[in-house]
Amino acid sequence: MATLGAITPYCVPLTTHDLLALGQRFGIDYRFPEASGHSSYVARGRVMEVEVAPTLRVTHSELDVLQPYASTSRRASPWFLSVILEGCIQVRLGHQSFQLQAGNAFSAHFNEQSGLDVFQPAPQRLRILNVSFLAPTAPCTFSPINVALPAKPMLHTWQVPQPLHQSLEAALASNESAERQRLLWQGLAFQLLAHGLPDECLERHSEEKAVSCPSGISHRDHQCLERLRQQLADSPHQDYRLAQLAKEAAMSSSSLRTKFQRCYGCSIFDYLRRCRLEHAKAYLRNGYSVQQAAHACGYGHATNFATAFKRAFGIAPHQLIKNR
């Protein structure tokens, strides 16, 4: 896959140690039922992870799976889509469980309390394309979290149309420039979203669009939440407390937590963390040191900042400065 913005290739082959390291970054618990040691080989091939945009990530895995492994995704995701290009997997969320093969796809909405389980049998040739839609840190024309989210975790399976399948394969083999690739993947990701969203979510979105409020949130509360979200995005360096934010929004603390999650697809402090790190990335690219960027975006300790930054973007702050 060509370079699109930030791109991270992972080593060949992949050991249990490599996957556990990836899991720490992405909030995934990996398990190896037949592993013989901490660094035994699990698969060989390549994994390319690309940040197409701040709210959109694409991952392409092309692996020979040598021994079976399982994973549980713990990090909340407004929408996560996966297309099986070759091979087969088993996927489970709550009481829903499916076995998928080439040409199948699934869409999932989940949170930290109800993780997404995936099992990869072995031996097999496995190629998978994953698309992660993240909560936006600034207003945008369209975001998947503007589409009505299910009230609870959801797993939806569907068949990839053949023309779209061919377009995905062509994009993976493309040698276009980085900017053209970025635009191409943005378009394909939203095509996947259009095919992969359950009908009930689109119908609910159509009903809610008239009042521009997510389900269960009044117009007045939505306005208060949007003012609060904009404040966090504009001034993420400030020291915020939930009780004070709830007071400003004229809500109880529990109501603010629930309604913010419902409206924006993430917790209020996960959103604040993302805003701080996006600001820090801009500071680093504009010549700030790691210590300066950490303090400028509200982190008291550079070590804590560096850990959060690498977990969010897959690259350490000093590496970003070096690449600058």
Side-chain angles (χ1 to χ4, degrees), residues 40-63:
S40 61
Y41 295 122
V42 178
R44 60 171 175 260
R46 64 172 186 159
V47 179
M48 303 295 283
E49 187 268 333
V50 182
E51 184 179 350
V52 179
T55 59
L56 175 60
R57 287 177 183 163
V58 175
T59 307
H60 176 229
S61 303
E62 187 173 350
L63 301 171

Side-chain angles (χ1 to χ4, degrees), residues 1-11 22 25-26 46-53 56-61 129 171-172 174 176-179 181-182 185 281 285 312-316 319-320 323:
M1 189 183 295
T3 301
L4 317 176
I7 181 168
T8 308
Y10 302 123
C11 62
L22 290 178
R25 178 187 168 200
F26 289 107
R46 64 172 186 159
V47 179
M48 303 295 283
E49 187 268 333
V50 182
E51 184 179 350
V52 179
L56 175 60
R57 287 177 183 163
V58 175
T59 307
H60 176 229
S61 303
L129 184 73
L172 290 170
S174 174
E176 295 285 355
S177 67
E179 182 60 20
Q181 286 260 9
R182 186 181 68 82
W185 279 110
K281 185 194 288 186
R285 286 174 172 168
F313 302 118
I315 184 174
Q319 291 176 307
L320 184 64
N323 295 341

Side-chain angles (χ1 to χ4, degrees), residues 13-283:
L14 290 170
T15 66
T16 54
H17 177 77
D18 298 325
L19 288 175
L20 290 171
L22 290 178
Q24 288 184 337
R25 178 187 168 200
F26 289 107
I28 302 174
D29 297 334
Y30 283 100
R31 300 176 300 283
F32 314 98
E34 299 181 9
S36 57
H38 182 63
S39 294
S40 61
Y41 295 122
V42 178
R44 60 171 175 260
R46 64 172 186 159
V47 179
M48 303 295 283
E49 187 268 333
V50 182
E51 184 179 350
V52 179
T55 59
L56 175 60
R57 287 177 183 163
V58 175
T59 307
H60 176 229
S61 303
E62 187 173 350
L63 301 171
D64 289 315
V65 183
L66 305 177
Q67 63 171 290
Y69 64 97
S71 63
T72 301
S73 298
R74 298 293 184 187
R75 189 172 296 171
S77 177
W79 284 110
F80 175 82
L81 285 73
S82 186
V83 177
I84 294 82
L85 300 170
E86 185 177 347
C88 65
I89 64 170
Q90 296 171 19
V91 60
R92 180 170 63 87
L93 182 61
H95 298 297
Q96 296 177 280
S97 180
F98 302 96
Q99 184 162 336
L100 306 178
Q101 57 188 1
N104 297 151
F106 72 84
S107 307
H109 167 69
F110 55 91
N111 53 38
E112 292 88 344
Q113 291 72 40
S114 182
L116 177 71
D117 295 318
V118 179
F119 177 74
Q120 289 87 354
Q124 66 163 325
R125 176 70 169 173
L126 183 63
R127 292 198 304 124
I128 290 183
L129 184 73
N130 294 330
V131 179
S132 299
F133 290 94
L134 310 173
T137 57
C140 53
T141 303
F142 178 80
S143 169
I145 67 166
N146 291 334
V147 175
L149 294 173
K152 58 184 180 180
M154 173 181 284
L155 179 61
H156 171 67
T157 61
W158 47 287
Q159 194 76 16
V160 181
Q162 188 60 29
L164 180 54
H165 190 286
Q166 293 172 347
S167 295
L168 295 174
E169 293 284 15
L172 290 170
S174 174
N175 291 318
E176 295 285 355
S177 67
E179 182 60 20
R180 287 185 183 277
Q181 286 260 9
R182 186 181 68 82
L183 294 172
L184 178 62
W185 279 110
Q186 283 181 325
L188 288 172
F190 283 105
Q191 285 187 60
L192 289 169
L193 188 68
H195 287 283
L197 281 179
D199 290 339
E200 55 265 36
C201 291
L202 293 174
E203 290 167 1
R204 188 181 299 120
H205 174 57
S206 180
E207 294 171 358
E208 293 168 1
K209 189 176 179 181
V211 294
S212 300
C213 300
S215 178
I217 298 178
S218 69
H219 182 65
R220 177 261 175 201
D221 282 351
H222 186 257
Q223 288 182 317
C224 290
L225 289 169
E226 182 55 24
R227 283 197 296 269
L228 189 61
R229 186 206 62 75
Q230 190 64 58
Q231 178 185 345
L232 297 177
D234 292 341
S235 305
H237 59 280
Q238 295 185 18
D239 184 19
Y240 293 101
R241 294 289 184 269
L242 181 62
Q244 181 59 35
L245 292 173
K247 183 178 180 181
E248 293 177 13
M251 302 178 191
S252 67
S253 295
S254 61
S255 181
L256 175 60
R257 279 198 302 264
T258 300
K259 291 180 178 179
F260 194 96
Q261 176 81 37
R262 178 68 180 145
C263 196
Y264 299 109
C266 62
S267 75
I268 191 167
F269 286 104
D270 280 345
Y271 179 82
L272 176 60
R273 185 181 304 111
R274 182 75 185 185
C275 290
R276 285 176 170 174
L277 293 174
E278 290 289 352
H279 276 238
K281 185 194 288 186
Y283 290 141

